[in-house]
Each structure stands twice: as C-alpha cells, then as structure tokens.
C-alpha cells in the first residue's frame, strides 16, 4: 500500500511538473508576437537554429542569433552553453525578451532525428544551416 | 541448476522442480551472451561516430533497444492479462507471465531513462527536461511500478491475477501516447528515426545495423529473463500454497488434540 501511495504521488508530481514547465510557452522564432501565447513580454521557450558566424563569447557571456523561417532573434546567455552547442544546430532557449534580445537562462541543444557518420574529409559547408530546418 | 523440466513429471524425489533452467534456456543464455558481445563490438567498435554528437551517439544502441523491448514486455503483459481474464481456464500461468514481463519491462525502462539522462547531458546540455516525451515516459514508468505494487497487495492468487490483469490491459494504452508525444507536442526530444510512417530512415547504414544488433541482443535477454522469472514465480506460488496447506494441517491437528 505504501508503494502504491508513493506511485500516486510520483504520478501527480510528474503531471504538475509538466504543466508547470508548459507555462514557459514553446515558440519558434517567427511566431513571437504573432502566435497566441508567444507574446514578447512573457517568459518563453524559443526554438531556432544558431546562425552561422554569430556565436561570440565575451567574458563569460555568450551571444548568438537564432533563426527560424527567416525570422531572427539575438540571444544573450550568461555562461557557455553545454551539450553539443555549435553553429547551424537547432537550440531551445528559455528566457525573456528585453529590448529585442532574448535574455536566456537556459540553453538546450536539440538534435535532429538524422544520424550521419563523422567524416573528416568533408569540407563543404554544413548543408543544414538553412532557415526552417529545425 | 539441474535439468529438471517444470512440466515433465520426472521421477524425482520432490514433485517441484529443483531449478528454473532447461536445455532451451541454456542455449538461449549462450545466444544472449554472444549477441551482447556483438553489440559491444559494433556499438563501441565498428560503428562510426556521429557528425554532430560524435562518440556519444553510441548510447543509442542501448537507449533505443531497451525502450523498444520495454514496450514489447508491456504488450506481452497486456496480452497475457487478456488471456487470463477472458480465457475459459483462468490459468495462473498467464498471470505469472504477465507479472514477470512487467518486471523486466520496468528494469529495461530504468536503463532507458538512466542512459537517456546521460545522453541528454552530453547532447542537449541537460540531464532532464519536462518535455512531452520525457514526461510521458516517466509517467509510463511509474504506472508499471504501480502495477507491480498492485500485484503485491495480497489475497489469493486468483484475486491478484484478476486485479493486475485489469490494470495490465489499461496501462498498455499509455504506450501510443509516449510514442506519438513527439508529434503531438513540441518537444526537445527528436522525432522517431526508425519507427516512422513514411519509411524514410535518415541513419548511417552501420549505425542502423548496430541498432539492429542491439535489438536482437536485448530481445534474447528479455526472453531468457522471462522464462526464468515466470518459473520462479511459479515456485513462489507453490511455496505459498504449501505454507497454507501446512498451516491448515497444523490447525486441524490441534483441533484433533483438543477433542476427546
């Protein structure tokens, strides 16, 4: 009975965590200010691709630009993003937009469902660094 | 472990088998070990690193097979539950297979969650995120822990079997929700690579083959564990019945003594 009670509590915690997390609305860059719930004056989770040559690291602060469907959004993040963060990869940034810049407090790197062998001979630019490939 | 078969009435001193191994399970056990060795060779050796994820992609060869076999285990639990509930014989054998399968599914799923968290830290940068896929998976996990708890609530074997069979049939309905959660909601977790409807698999050939080896290896391990576990459950039930018989006999003997 004790285990069963624990299970019910765990289920409740999971559901509330999911709902609490959903408060940070999940938006693509081009939906900010247009899609309902993606207003630029609230906390958001914004999904976009890191623009090539836009990543700059200055005294512990990382700035970069994310794009989606042609729309761009500059991001400032205190610290260095973890995971496999690099240009041309889709990311999800949690934060709030201040003066047109997304002040991110959490950066997560999204991985596509494509798997390709690493090839050191490949020199051509990453073909996936095109808008709308998230 | 002796070679005594569970079903065949060997002319042994005891009516109960003395082990859960048979020739079939031993062959299966050896096949499992060989397949696991293959998985290590392909997963860690022959398969290439990923362009973006580099070496961490190798976690895939455990993460994906374990969750697929966990799904399979829960489907077996549901089918077996249905066989008990709707079968004319009300055979407890089906109930034990259902219970054993759910136990193994929970263990496999724990492996999926643990290596998934490690993989998440390496690629996403976070161990956990309350997104659709991860949340529904966690919910499925605690549902089956609840199922196992219900099995231990007590009562007769048939009470246990009936209660858990109903739950086993309901809980399996969560699996489609977990699988399509990445399509239903926007999620940090990527969409399906292999189990997709358009059949367009974007995966390096050797990676796909390594994944296939993983699925074979964990399927063999699952069947091997299922056979042994359902047999030990049979023995557990037998011990309980014997205990009850002995208690009844003792009580009757006591009553005989009191009577003049």
């Amino acid at each position: 009975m004790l285990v069963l009670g624990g299970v019910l509590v765990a289920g409740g915690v999971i559901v509330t965590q999911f709902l609490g997390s959903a408060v940070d609305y999940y938006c693509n860059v081009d939906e900010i200010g247009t899609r309902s719930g993606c207003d630029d004056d609230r906390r958001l989770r914004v999904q976009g691709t890191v623009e090539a040559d836009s990543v700059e690291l200055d005294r512990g602060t990382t700035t970069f630009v994310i794009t989606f469907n042609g729309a761009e959004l500059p991001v400032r993040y205190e610290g260095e993003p973890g995971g496999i963060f690099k240009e041309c990869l889709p990311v999800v940034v949690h934060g709030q937009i201040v003066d047109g810049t997304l002040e991110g407090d959490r950066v997560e790197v999204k991985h596509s469902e494509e798997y390709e062998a690493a090839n050191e001979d490949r020199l051509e630019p990453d073909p996936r660094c095109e808008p709308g490939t998230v | 472990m002796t070679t005594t078969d569970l079903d065949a009435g060997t002319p042994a001193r005891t009516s109960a088998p003395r082990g859960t191994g048979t020739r079939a399970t031993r062959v299966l056990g050896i096949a499992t070990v060989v397949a696991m060795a293959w998985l290590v060779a392909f997963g860690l050796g022959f398969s290439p690193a990923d362009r973006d994820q580099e070496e961490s992609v190798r976690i895939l060869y455990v993460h994906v097979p374990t969750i697929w076999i966990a799904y399979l285990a829960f489907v077996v639990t549901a089918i077996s539950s249905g066989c008990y509930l709707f079968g004319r014989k009300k055979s407890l054998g089906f109930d034990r297979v259902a219970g054993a399968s759910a136990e193994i599914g929970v263990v496999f799923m724990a492996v999926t969650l643990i290596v998934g968290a490690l993989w998440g830290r390496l690629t996403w940068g976070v161990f956990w995120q309350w997104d659709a896929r991860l949340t529904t998976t966690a919910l499925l996990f605690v549902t089956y822990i609840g199922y196992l708890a219900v099995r231990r609530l007590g009562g007769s074997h048939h009470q246990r079997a009936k209660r858990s069979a109903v739950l086993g049939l309901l809980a399996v309905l969560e699996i489609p929700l977990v699988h399509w959660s990445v399509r239903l909601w926007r999620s940090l977790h990527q969409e399906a690579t292999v189990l997709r409807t358009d059949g367009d698999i974007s995966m390096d050939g050797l990676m796909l083959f390594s994944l296939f080896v993983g699925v074979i290896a964990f399927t063999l391990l699952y069947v091997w564990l299922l056979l042994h576990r359902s047999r030990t459950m049979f023995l557990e039930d037998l011990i309980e019945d014997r205990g009850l018989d002995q208690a009844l006999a003792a009580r009757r003997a006591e009553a005989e003594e009191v009577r003049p």
Side-chain angles (χ1 to χ4, degrees):
Chain A
M1 276 317 261
L2 201 67
V3 181
L4 208 58
V7 165
L8 288 178
V9 170
V13 168
I14 289 168
V15 172
T16 36
Q17 284 289 337
F18 182 45
L19 292 177
S21 174
V23 170
D24 289 0
Y25 216 83
Y26 208 143
C27 304
N28 295 326
V29 176
D30 60 330
E31 291 169 341
I32 293 168
T34 55
R35 187 162 178 252
S36 122
C38 295
D39 319 290
D40 54 12
D41 56 351
R42 60 179 291 176
R43 266 192 70 85
L44 295 170
R45 262 195 277 186
V46 187
Q47 175 176 257
T49 305
V50 180
E51 181 107 290
D53 300 324
S54 75
V55 181
E56 269 173 47
L57 185 66
D58 181 39
R59 267 168 280 147
T61 304
T62 313
T63 55
F64 53 94
V65 176
I66 55 173
T67 65
F68 195 97
N69 264 342
E72 291 189 358
L73 180 67
V75 179
R76 183 159 50 228
Y77 175 70
E78 297 292 330
E80 285 180 55
I84 53 167
F85 181 85
K86 61 179 173 188
E87 289 158 2
C88 300
L89 282 188
V91 295
V92 177
V93 183
H94 299 231
Q96 183 132 24
I97 297 174
V98 180
D99 299 327
T101 301
L102 180 59
E103 300 282 354
D105 47 40
R106 190 166 176 174
V107 176
E108 290 151 358
V109 185
K110 226 184 130 152
H111 186 261
S112 74
E113 66 272 28
E114 291 170 16
Y115 297 90
E116 214 173 296
N119 187 349
E120 284 166 17
D121 300 334
R122 188 163 23 224
L123 281 173
E124 79 260 36
D126 194 330
R128 284 183 302 162
C129 204
E130 290 160 10
T133 51
V134 175
Chain B
M1 293 277 160
T2 62
T3 50
T4 316
D5 197 301
L6 252 189
D7 303 311
T10 43
R13 288 157 296 276
T14 52
S15 59
R18 305 187 62 189
T20 55
T22 58
R23 182 174 295 153
T25 59
R26 256 187 295 281
V27 170
L28 204 57
I30 292 164
T32 307
V33 171
V34 171
M36 284 293 172
W38 267 59
L39 178 60
V40 170
F42 274 92
L44 296 178
F46 302 137
S47 68
D50 185 67
R51 188 175 59 187
D52 297 327
Q53 307 196 46
E54 296 170 9
E55 303 295 340
S56 74
V57 76
R58 302 183 191 284
I59 292 175
L60 177 126
Y61 311 126
V62 173
H63 182 72
V64 176
T66 47
I67 193 67
W68 284 356
I69 305 308
Y71 288 165
L72 171 74
F74 298 148
V75 169
V76 168
T77 295
I79 292 171
S80 221
S81 299
C83 286
Y84 172 80
L85 216 52
F86 304 116
R88 211 170 299 162
K89 270 177 71 186
K90 296 274 178 264
S91 163
L92 282 172
F94 285 125
D95 168 64
R96 289 189 282 261
V97 168
S101 192
E103 276 183 11
I104 302 161
V106 165
V107 171
F108 276 31
M109 219 173 155
V111 174
T112 308
L113 289 169
I114 291 165
V115 298
L118 298 177
W119 198 8
R121 181 68 185 83
L122 288 169
T123 59
W124 301 338
V126 290
F127 285 110
W128 188 263
Q129 159 64 251
W130 291 104
D131 89 333
R133 172 55 74 77
L134 277 65
T135 306
T136 50
T137 310
L139 212 53
L140 186 69
F141 185 61
V142 293
T143 301
Y144 277 92
I145 290 176
Y147 169 87
L148 295 180
V150 164
R151 290 188 67 86
R152 282 161 181 72
L153 278 181
S156 73
H157 297 332
H158 280 286
Q159 278 175 330
R160 171 197 73 194
K162 204 170 172 184
R163 265 197 299 254
S164 53
V166 173
L167 192 55
L169 281 170
L170 289 176
V172 79
L173 300 175
E174 272 182 53
I175 292 179
L177 185 72
V178 177
H179 184 72
W180 280 295
S181 60
V182 283
R183 299 213 78 119
L184 286 171
W185 295 286
R186 288 184 183 180
S187 161
L188 181 63
H189 194 287
Q190 68 273 19
E191 289 189 16
T193 304
V194 181
L195 297 181
R196 50 192 301 152
T197 41
D198 60 8
D200 183 18
I201 300 172
S202 305
M203 194 181 226
D204 176 83
L206 205 48
M207 288 182 182
L208 196 60
F209 183 76
S210 304
L211 175 61
F212 176 70
V213 173
V215 172
I216 299 285
F218 281 101
T219 306
L220 289 170
L221 179 63
Y222 164 71
V223 176
W224 184 77
L225 285 171
L226 183 68
L227 288 172
H228 278 293
R229 185 63 189 121
S230 51
R231 284 168 187 172
T232 51
M233 280 182 161
F234 167 71
L235 295 175
E236 282 169 13
D237 283 359
L238 209 61
I239 289 169
E240 261 177 49
D241 292 343
R242 290 267 169 92
L244 192 65
D245 287 346
Q246 273 168 11
L248 281 172
R251 181 70 194 85
R252 278 198 200 100
E254 221 171 85
E256 291 291 316
E257 275 171 31
V258 171
R259 223 173 284 157

